[in-house]
Amino acid sequence: MPKVPAFHIFPSAKAASTALADEISQLIRSREAEERPTVLGLATGNTPIQLYAELVRLHEEGLSFRNVVTFNLDEYIGISRENPESYWQFMHSHLFDRIDIVPENIHIPESTVLSKNLESYCSSYERQITEAGGIDLQVLGIGRNGHIGFNEPGASPEVATHATELNSVTIDDAAQAFGGATHVPRRAITMGVKTILTARRITLLAFGTGKAGIVERALTPGITAKVPATYLQSHHDTTFFLDQEAGAQLA
Ligand code: PGA
């Protein structure tokens, strides 16, 4: 049965980020008490920056990530890890270089896989998630076009990790960071909607006025490929963490 995700509107993006960081911290501690690893699915973009800052702060207060395994949602194809806009760089500078995670436990799709090897690479990424025990908690952002990861409008819910083309809205949104739309990579590797929906818990962060319309659409009953975030209505435990601006169009 489809179920519209729960949502919480916080006074600020910082408050929403802190609440999600607290949930993640409790999950890590409870799994550690059971001597089991925590498997996190992680996102990039402007939205989760404060979440990662808060996790770093919690680490400085004693939270350990030794028992944490991470899988990032996506990565551009064709840029090197060293490129300042690579998600590898983003994750290391905002989080991984600042916590005690074991480097072997970090998984980010490889940006430089040769075209002929993409399919087997994507299958192996999927297999690694399964072998780690599946994702306990997935962090998502949402694009203005309703994408989750790089699952752009039109994405099928049946597809697991795969190589895909970026949508024009996504390219426009990335243009500034790359110094113009022509420099934005056209392709990416992304977990599929199918992968995302296998996570035991899904959390989606959205902040600012620019996200209000798409958040309202994602939380309106009705699943459509035109708005991939509506696929979250077929997941049993998804919560949106919003600031006042992003939640402004919700009754
Ligand atoms: P943003 O991107 O956090 O930079 O707004 C979100 C997304 O595209 O998923």
Side-chain angles (χ1 to χ4, degrees):
M1 268 297 280
K3 173 174 173 280
V4 174
F7 66 89
H8 292 298
I9 301 176
F10 293 86
S12 64
K14 175 134 193 336
S17 305
T18 303
L20 180 52
D22 286 344
E23 177 176 334
I24 292 172
S25 151
Q26 282 169 30
L27 176 67
I28 293 171
R29 290 187 204 275
S30 70
R31 306 260 317 175
E32 198 163 56
E34 298 165 4
E35 296 185 358
R36 291 160 69 191
T38 304
V39 183
L40 298 177
L42 298 178
T44 50
N46 289 318
T47 310
I49 290 176
Q50 293 180 84
L51 166 67
Y52 297 146
E54 184 59 19
L55 288 174
V56 169
R57 202 189 62 74
L58 290 171
H59 170 63
E60 287 162 0
E61 286 183 354
L63 177 68
S64 175
F65 289 78
R66 278 188 314 269
N67 249 331
V68 174
V69 178
T70 63
F71 289 90
N72 264 80
L73 275 171
D74 46 21
E75 177 62 281
Y76 295 111
I77 291 177
I79 64 175
S80 70
R81 279 184 175 180
E82 289 69 38
N83 187 309
E85 294 308 322
S86 77
Y87 290 162
W88 198 93
Q89 283 294 329
F90 176 98
M91 288 309 303
H92 283 77
S93 65
H94 287 285
L95 185 64
F96 298 145
D97 287 347
R98 300 166 184 238
I99 58 175
D100 62 343
I101 190 162
V102 179
E104 292 74 46
N105 288 346
I106 296 170
H107 304 85
I108 303 174
E110 195 57 64
S111 57
T112 53
V113 184
L114 293 175
S115 302
K116 66 180 172 56
N117 299 333
L118 270 170
E119 216 169 298
S120 65
Y121 177 78
C122 291
S123 307
S124 74
Y125 198 73
E126 202 68 31
R127 198 164 48 243
Q128 286 179 307
I129 295 174
T130 307
E131 284 170 4
I135 292 170
D136 292 307
L137 184 148
Q138 175 69 52
V139 177
L140 296 176
I142 183 170
R144 287 187 301 128
N145 59 6
H147 76 192
I148 46 176
F150 279 123
N151 295 284
E152 304 283 23
S156 157
E158 309 294 338
V159 176
T161 300
H162 63 290
T164 189
E165 308 282 326
L166 271 56
N167 169 283
S168 58
V169 174
T170 304
I171 292 171
D172 285 348
D173 284 350
Q176 200 182 356
F178 279 92
T182 51
H183 302 296
V184 178
R186 285 335 197 224
R187 303 188 74 208
I189 295 174
T190 185
M191 281 186 201
V193 173
K194 185 176 177 185
T195 324
I196 292 169
L197 292 177
T198 61
R200 287 183 272 282
R201 169 136 169 86
I202 299 176
T203 58
L204 185 148
L205 292 166
F207 305 140
T209 313
K211 299 287 171 74
I214 197 66
V215 162
E216 195 257 347
R217 177 62 196 90
L219 294 175
T220 301
I223 297 176
T224 168
K226 290 185 191 144
V227 182
T230 60
Y231 289 128
L232 300 172
Q233 296 179 19
S234 60
H235 188 263
H236 61 284
D237 187 13
T238 296
T239 303
F240 282 33
F241 289 66
L242 309 171
D243 66 0
Q244 302 273 341
E245 290 77 14
Q249 292 185 27
L250 302 172

